[in-house]
Amino acid sequence: MSACNIKRILFTFIIFSFVFSNKSSLPNNFVYLDDFIPNVVIELRYNSSFNFLGRNVDGYKNNKCIVTQNMAEALKKVQNDLQAMGLGLKIYDAYRPQIAVDHFLRWANDETDTLTKKEFYPTLTKRELLEKVYIATKSSHTRGSAIDLTIISFPPSKQESFKIENQWDCSKGNSGSQRDNSLDMGSSYDCFHKISHTNSVIVTPQQHANRLLLKSLMEKHGFKNYYKEWWHYNFIEEPFPETYFNFP
């Protein structure tokens, strides 16, 4: 066998090993959601500056959405129901490592950092974010069976980029130009304000109807909504109810 052929074989083996190790790196019963739902739209906000920290969050290395397999199977049923209407799911966050939750807590306890106040918590102090449990020491996301999501039309339209210097008050709702190509839910993701309560009375009838569409389909397939956040759902039959994970 020539030296050239040996190099090709070694190169192929290295590439195969790298791909295999990446696919095998998740704990048992965890999967990448787009392996189950190839056409799902994933926009992990904590893997960018478009979030209440204004920077990439610790533990987020890429835009790969990780969930428990049981939850992925349930989300696929939701996606199938939406596809019949020309719609689909868009994911903001799913599994969240404990190191990210710790990053949230450090940020919340730093009262000098108010970089994104107007966009995400216009009417609250950071102390109130902790007191009202918008930010907690433990998160159901870290157990792998919570998800933040919305509904999107297909094909997805482009959306305006988020810029720190061009924030708008999220408590005003989505009446103006949106930075999100999803259905209008009446408030933006991670808007810490009563307008984001699922049954808020300060959104329009159409915005409320969009929230109820998401809620009805998620409940149909085994999820429960967190009433303060129209986007947040917990998978009821979660496989790890007492375990908080910390893999990136």
Side-chain angles (χ1 to χ4, degrees), residues 38-129:
N39 60 342
V40 69
V41 176
I42 298 172
E43 185 189 335
L44 298 186
R45 291 285 177 85
Y46 302 136
N47 187 55
S48 72
S49 63
F50 192 2
N51 59 64
F52 59 89
L53 274 70
R55 60 184 67 88
N56 196 288
V57 177
D58 290 353
Y60 286 80
K61 306 296 185 182
N62 52 47
N63 197 48
K64 295 292 287 183
C65 175
I66 298 171
V67 297
T68 56
Q69 182 170 336
N70 313 56
M71 189 165 80
E73 292 169 349
L75 288 169
K76 187 173 184 178
K77 295 175 183 176
V78 178
Q79 180 81 340
N80 289 341
D81 286 349
L82 286 169
Q83 283 185 165
M85 309 175 212
L87 304 170
L89 292 173
K90 176 177 176 177
I91 312 300
Y92 297 121
D93 193 34
Y95 163 71
R96 179 187 305 162
Q98 183 62 41
I99 191 174
V101 177
D102 295 341
H103 194 177
F104 290 173
L105 290 169
R106 290 198 307 275
W107 171 86
N109 283 293
D110 179 4
E111 295 184 2
T112 66
D113 182 356
T114 56
L115 185 66
T116 63
K117 180 175 175 61
K118 183 177 180 180
E119 183 87 19
F120 294 98
Y121 56 109
T123 64
L124 298 174
T125 65
K126 283 192 169 183
R127 180 178 296 276
E128 287 173 316
L129 291 179

Side-chain angles (χ1 to χ4, degrees), residues 130-175:
L130 294 168
E131 290 173 349
K132 295 177 183 292
V133 201
Y134 282 113
I135 296 173
T137 57
K138 295 289 186 181
S139 170
S140 54
H141 284 276
T142 308
R143 303 195 299 266
S145 288
I147 194 155
D148 296 340
L149 76 178
T150 189
I151 298 174
I152 195 167
S153 296
F154 280 100
S157 59
K158 292 183 179 180
Q159 63 184 35
E160 178 187 348
S161 298
F162 171 68
K163 296 179 181 178
I164 292 289
E165 64 273 16
N166 188 31
Q167 297 181 54
W168 54 278
D169 186 340
C170 76
S171 68
K172 304 297 184 183
N174 287 353
S175 57

